[in-house]
């Protein structure tokens, strides 16, 4: 699955970093999200899904590239 | 049954009859009426203190929906709160207008909100705060030292819950050590329910004047890695906005965390097996901190009034443009649809997703500061004071109530 972040929506809340620190970081200049990975492995999906749900500004999204091709 | 519920606004003939049930029952629980609304009418009409009819969102789904819908504005309007003294709110409004300061960052909308929030956030991020952890630990150690020196029994609020958050904020703002006591004392005074406007007014003025001086000084000598310097250096905030946001950080970060620390300790000692479980498994502290945030949700129906800027349909109910929605955080955090067995305090459940820090674009800026402080206190406390216990009957504890906005004990006598 592919993880994406909309930096215009991000408010630097850091819920993603708190939930899945191996996938997310925060920019030192304004705290906005930095994606450490974009292609998410099956064993990372639960944590990433939780992070997506916890983002207070709905800046994160997970899409299935297979589905998009159809 | 001890009730911490305060009086709600008088009913005005012809107006909506539901006044907002708020407060705590038996120290920890939501009023039955609030949970009935949460279960049966999660979006219902309520009476605001200015006589207007507004709405109350009281279950998890409705609360999150309103907090994330950008058609709602967070702009500040004094007097449309669901409880408290109308006179006092209007007085605060008058004082703030006279002082000529803008609203705090959480009461403005984008794009001003975006600009001001970004100027502050880089110092409040998870990775940035990790760098400050050693400083914060020193502050916690100092507070525990002072409690130990005072000897058993001592007041946890006076020795730990009050000074730790205030000194942490001083550290974040790089306030010179010799000046911290003044800031801390002023901040304590302003929040002390024992003092009336004749004391609080001048203290507020003094805090304001001191902050102006602090900002002017910092402008002359910018400090590397300092939040206040960053706010100045970013160049996007006006002088007034910077002063307001510094004062706001004190207002938002002191009393709240003080209440959370005291109330969390009370929760752990109220049923001693909780305290023993934390001692037996120190690794549960992160989960415990999060669960305490959910379980206590100390800021309920405060700073969560939202104004509809156009008609908004929520599950078939239309909120009309110009109407106010008040969002409960406590009722959603006890919503069984979201948190099974919600009235049980369970440090091992995953409590993330609670609304204790709000949600949406205004979600508490300092939430990770609060988390870190709480974690450090509750990692250190059981090690230094393993036999800690309450030194007063919980029924006798005095509470911040009504106009003070947060729910928390004003004193917490403990012994060891």
């Amino acid at each position: 699955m592919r993880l994406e972040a909309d930096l215009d929506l991000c408010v630097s809340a850091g819920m993603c970093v708190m939930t899945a620190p191996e996938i997310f970081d925060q920019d030192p200049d304004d705290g906005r999200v930095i994606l450490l990975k974009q292609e998410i492995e099956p064993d990372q999906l639960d944590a990433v899904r939780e992070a997506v749900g916890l983002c207070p500004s709905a800046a994160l999204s997970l899409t299935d590239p297979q589905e998009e091709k159809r | 049954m001890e009730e911490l519920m305060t009086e709600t606004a008088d009913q005005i003939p012809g107006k909506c009859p539901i006044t907002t049930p708020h407060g705590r029952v038996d120290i920890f629980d939501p009023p039955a009426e609030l949970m009935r609304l949460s279960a049966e009418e999660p979006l219902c009409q309520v009476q605001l203190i200015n006589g207007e009819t507004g709405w109350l969102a009281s279950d998890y789904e409705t609360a999150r929906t309103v907090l994330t819908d950008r058609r709602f504005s967070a702009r500040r309007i004094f007097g449309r709160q669901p409880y408290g003294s109308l006179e006092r709110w209007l007085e605060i409004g008058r004082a703030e207008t006279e002082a000529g300061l803008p609203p705090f960052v959480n009461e403005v909308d984008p794009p001003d909100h975006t600009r001001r929030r970004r100027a502050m956030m880089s110092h409040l991020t998870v990775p940035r705060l990790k760098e400050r952890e050693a400083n914060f630990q020193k502050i916690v150690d100092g507070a525990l030292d002072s409690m130990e020196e005072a000897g058993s029994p001592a007041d946890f609020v006076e020795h730990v819950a009050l000074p730790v958050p205030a000194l942490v904020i001083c550290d974040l703002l790089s306030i010179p050590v010799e000046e911290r006591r003044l800031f801390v004392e002023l901040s304590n005074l302003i929040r002390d329910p024992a003092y009336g406007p004749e004391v609080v007014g001048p203290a507020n003025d003094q805090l304001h004047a001191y902050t102006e001086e602090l900002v002017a000084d910092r402008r002359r000598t910018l400090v590397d890695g300092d939040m206040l310097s960053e706010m100045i250096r970013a160049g996007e905030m006006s002088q007034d906005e910077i002063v307001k946001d510094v004062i706001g950080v004190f207002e938002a970060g002191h009393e709240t965390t003080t209440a959370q620390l005291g109330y969390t300790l009370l929760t752990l000692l109220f049923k001693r097996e909780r305290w023993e479980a934390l001692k037996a498994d120190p690794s549960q502290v992160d989960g415990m901190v999060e669960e305490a945030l959910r379980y206590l949700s100390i800021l309920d129906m405060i700073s969560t009034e939202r104004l509809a800027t156009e008609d908004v349909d929520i599950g078939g109910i239309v909120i009309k443009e110009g109407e106010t929605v008040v969002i409960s955080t406590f009722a959603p955090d006890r919503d069984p649809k979201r948190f099974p067995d919600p009235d049980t305090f369970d440090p091992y459940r995953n409590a993330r997703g609670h609304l204790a820090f709000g949600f949406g674009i205004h979600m508490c800026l300092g939430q990770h500061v609060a988390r870190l402080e709480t974690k450090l206190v509750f990692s250190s406390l059981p090690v230094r004071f393993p036999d800690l216990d309450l030194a007063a009957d919980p029924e006798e504890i005095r509470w911040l109530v009504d106009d003070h906005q947060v729910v928390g004990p004003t004193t917490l006598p403990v012994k060891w």
Side-chain angles (χ1 to χ4, degrees):
Chain A
M1 304 275 281
R2 190 172 170 77
L3 174 63
E4 278 168 0
D6 183 333
L7 291 180
D8 287 332
L9 291 180
C10 179
V11 290
S12 316
M15 292 303 292
C16 53
V17 179
M18 190 179 95
T19 306
E22 65 282 8
I23 308 282
F24 302 94
D25 197 355
Q26 287 181 272
D27 184 311
D29 285 336
D30 60 14
R32 282 190 282 180
V33 65
I34 294 173
L35 298 181
L36 301 173
K37 282 194 76 170
Q38 277 198 275
E39 300 309 322
I40 306 301
E41 306 299 323
D43 63 334
Q44 298 168 320
L45 264 184
D46 278 347
V48 173
R49 272 204 186 100
E50 188 185 355
V52 170
L54 290 174
C55 175
S57 59
L60 299 174
S61 57
L62 255 182
T63 47
D64 187 344
Q66 301 296 73
E67 295 231 342
E68 289 184 342
K69 282 187 190 136
R70 283 194 210 115
Chain B
M1 188 190 282
E2 179 74 39
E3 294 202 350
L4 299 174
M5 291 170 67
T6 61
E7 287 177 9
T8 49
D10 285 338
Q11 302 224 359
I12 299 172
K15 290 290 181 180
C16 166
I18 301 177
T19 53
T20 314
H22 68 100
R24 307 287 141 127
V25 175
D26 286 339
I27 303 177
F28 298 105
D29 291 332
E33 175 61 11
L34 179 60
M35 295 319 292
R36 185 195 70 75
L37 290 172
S38 176
E40 297 173 14
E41 240 191 299
L43 186 62
C44 69
Q45 290 192 303
V46 282
Q47 186 176 280
L48 306 179
I49 59 177
N50 61 6
E52 274 177 36
T53 299
W55 299 88
L56 175 69
S58 60
D59 79 349
Y60 188 81
E61 199 185 306
T62 314
R64 265 188 63 146
T65 299
V66 180
L67 284 168
T68 52
D69 191 317
R70 290 170 193 253
R71 292 171 291 176
F72 287 101
S73 162
R75 80 183 69 130
R76 180 180 63 181
I77 299 176
F78 293 100
R80 63 168 178 170
Q81 283 72 26
Y83 63 91
S85 152
L86 179 63
E87 204 184 281
R88 191 189 142 106
W89 277 113
L90 294 180
E91 228 175 81
I92 293 173
R94 259 195 301 271
E96 297 221 348
T97 309
E98 267 165 35
L101 286 180
F104 187 38
V105 61
N106 72 341
E107 285 173 327
V108 295
D109 297 322
D112 286 332
H113 166 263
T114 320
R115 176 175 57 81
R116 285 167 68 180
R117 187 178 169 113
R118 288 214 180 126
M120 298 164 73
M121 275 318 293
S122 65
H123 288 265
L124 303 173
T125 62
V126 173
R128 205 52 174 270
L129 288 172
K130 267 209 192 70
E131 294 168 20
R132 296 203 98 94
E133 189 172 317
N135 287 14
F136 293 179
Q137 183 68 57
K138 273 205 200 84
I139 290 168
V140 170
D141 290 340
L144 296 184
D145 286 344
S146 101
M147 191 166 90
E148 191 173 341
E149 264 158 47
S152 171
D155 180 7
F156 176 77
V157 172
E158 179 194 338
H159 290 283
V160 183
L162 268 172
V164 167
L167 290 171
V168 160
I169 293 168
C170 288
D171 184 73
L172 282 168
L173 294 169
S174 299
I175 292 178
V177 172
E178 62 276 10
E179 288 163 17
R180 288 184 185 187
R181 225 183 108 196
L182 175 65
F183 249 109
V184 172
E185 275 172 10
L186 284 175
S187 198
N188 285 351
L189 208 135
I190 289 163
R191 266 137 212 77
D192 194 328
Y195 296 112
E198 68 287 351
V199 171
V200 170
N204 249 319
D205 290 339
Q206 206 185 346
L207 186 59
H208 181 182
Y210 184 69
T211 308
E212 292 262 18
E213 224 180 274
L214 176 73
V215 175
D217 267 345
R218 196 60 52 81
R219 229 183 250 288
R220 286 190 282 269
T221 331
L222 294 174
V223 173
D224 246 344
D226 155 57
M227 182 169 145
L228 180 53
S229 299
E230 192 54 45
M231 287 159 74
I232 294 166
R233 203 198 317 255
E236 296 199 330
M237 289 170 69
S238 71
Q239 169 73 6
D240 279 344
E241 285 170 337
I242 295 175
V243 170
K244 178 59 187 187
D245 282 350
V246 169
I247 293 174
V249 160
F250 260 101
E251 284 174 356
H254 185 190
E255 179 180 55
T256 48
T257 315
T258 294
Q260 184 68 21
L261 290 172
Y263 207 179
T264 299
L265 183 57
L266 177 60
T267 305
L268 292 172
L269 295 178
F270 190 75
K271 288 192 173 165
R272 198 168 181 79
E273 57 267 29
R274 295 171 180 163
W275 175 254
E276 297 298 330
L278 178 60
K279 278 191 327 196
D281 178 17
S283 75
Q284 77 156 234
V285 71
D286 284 321
M288 189 284 288
V289 168
E290 213 62 32
E291 172 67 339
L293 287 162
R294 177 198 74 85
Y295 183 72
L296 302 175
S297 290
I298 62 173
L299 225 82
D300 188 30
M301 304 184 208
I302 287 296
S303 295
T304 55
E305 305 96 30
R306 296 288 186 268
L307 185 78
T309 60
E310 54 184 88
D311 288 2
V312 181
D313 183 324
I314 297 185
I317 296 178
V318 177
I319 317 273
K320 303 211 77 60
E321 179 185 334
E323 289 184 332
T324 296
V325 183
V326 173
I327 301 145
S328 172
T329 53
F330 188 34
D333 283 347
R334 298 294 186 96
D335 183 345
K337 303 191 291 287
R338 175 62 183 79
F339 298 105
D341 199 13
D343 297 331
T344 296
F345 179 78
D346 176 11
Y348 293 102
R349 77 158 87 229
N350 180 355
R352 284 193 292 263
H354 63 73
L355 302 183
F357 290 122
F359 204 68
I361 65 174
H362 295 280
M363 190 174 189
C364 180
L365 285 145
Q367 58 175 313
H368 300 297
V369 183
R371 281 192 178 94
L372 183 54
E373 288 179 56
T374 312
K375 174 181 177 156
L376 294 178
V377 168
F378 289 100
S379 297
S380 312
L381 199 60
V383 171
R384 285 190 63 172
F385 301 88
D387 298 327
L388 197 67
D389 203 351
L390 292 175
D393 186 339
E395 303 289 315
E396 284 162 16
I397 287 166
R398 281 159 38 226
W399 295 83
L400 295 170
V401 286
D402 204 23
D403 293 342
H404 264 266
Q405 306 190 29
V406 300
V407 182
T410 56
T411 63
L412 190 62
V414 292
K415 62 185 180 198
W416 59 94

